[in-house]
Amino acid sequence: FNNMKVKEIMEPVVITLKSSDTYEEAARVLYTNAISGAPVLDDAGKVVGIVSEEDLFRIVYPYYRSYYDHPEMYVDYEERERKMSEIKHHKVEIFMSKNVVGVDPETPVLQAGAVMLARDIMRMPVIKDGELVGIVNRKTIYHAVLKNNFKF
C-alpha cells in the first residue's frame, strides 16, 4: 500500500469554475453536481483558486469576531436573505480560497492525506506539469487507506 500513488485514486474528470463566474453560478455548479468544492481556473486554464461550500457560506454568515461584536445582526434572517440577493453577482475571484495546495499524481496517497489533515484541506487539485489532471478528496484517501488495510 505504501506505493499507492494519488494518480491511482484521483478523479480524472474535474468539474471546474472560472474566476469570472458569479457566486450564483458557482453555487449552481456545486449544487447540481452534488460536490462540495471545485478548482477555479483562469483564462489560460491554470488553477488559481478553490471554491468550497464553506467559502459560499462565509460570505453570508459572519466571521466569529463580527458575530461576537454585533450578534443582533445575525439573528435577523431576513437580513441574511437580503445579503444572498446582494452577493449573487459577486465574482468567484473575490471569495475563492487563493492559497491552493496541489498535489502531483506521483505523490504517495498517505503523504497527500497527511498534507490534507495538517492543512485542514478537504480536496486537492492534482497537477502535472502545471496542468490540472484530476482531483482527490479526503474521503477518497480515507476509503483507499481503510480498504487496503482492513477487510471490508
Side-chain angles (χ1 to χ4, degrees):
F1 179 76
N2 290 340
N3 293 327
M4 182 179 275
K5 307 292 186 200
V6 166
K7 68 182 179 184
E8 298 172 53
I9 65 166
M10 72 180 191
E11 172 57 52
V13 178
V14 185
I15 297 164
T16 62
L17 298 166
K18 296 178 295 209
S19 56
S20 59
D21 285 343
T22 65
Y23 180 101
E24 185 174 23
E25 291 165 334
R28 183 180 300 114
V29 166
L30 297 188
Y31 179 82
T32 58
N33 291 286
I35 56 176
S36 61
V40 179
L41 307 180
D42 64 12
D43 292 336
K46 300 295 181 197
V47 177
V48 293
I50 295 260
V51 168
S52 68
E53 293 169 328
E54 183 178 345
D55 296 319
L56 295 177
F57 277 116
R58 191 179 295 134
I59 295 173
V60 178
Y61 292 101
Y63 288 102
Y64 75 93
R65 178 166 285 137
S66 174
Y67 176 80
Y68 287 117
D69 290 345
H70 305 285
E72 67 281 358
M73 292 175 59
Y74 301 103
V75 294
D76 182 352
Y77 299 106
E78 289 177 4
E79 178 59 29
R80 295 294 98 205
E81 298 244 347
R82 277 192 292 281
K83 179 88 170 163
M84 287 294 291
S85 66
E86 288 174 18
I87 62 174
K88 69 182 188 179
H89 299 295
H90 284 52
K91 299 293 183 200
V92 165
E93 63 193 358
I94 295 170
F95 59 87
M96 68 184 182
S97 298
K98 294 178 177 86
N99 296 327
V100 179
V101 178
V103 64
D104 186 272
E106 295 297 328
T107 302
V109 168
L110 287 174
Q111 181 182 342
V115 169
M116 292 175 92
L117 284 173
R119 298 196 181 186
D120 195 27
I121 300 170
M122 297 303 291
R123 70 202 53 77
M124 287 196 302
V126 182
I127 301 171
K128 181 176 182 177
D129 300 325
E131 298 296 321
L132 179 66
V133 296
I135 194 160
V136 65
N137 63 48
R138 203 186 290 184
K139 180 179 178 181
T140 302
I141 289 176
Y142 175 71
H143 283 198
V145 169
L146 290 180
K147 183 178 177 184
N148 281 284
N149 286 284
F150 301 103
K151 304 285 186 221
F152 290 142

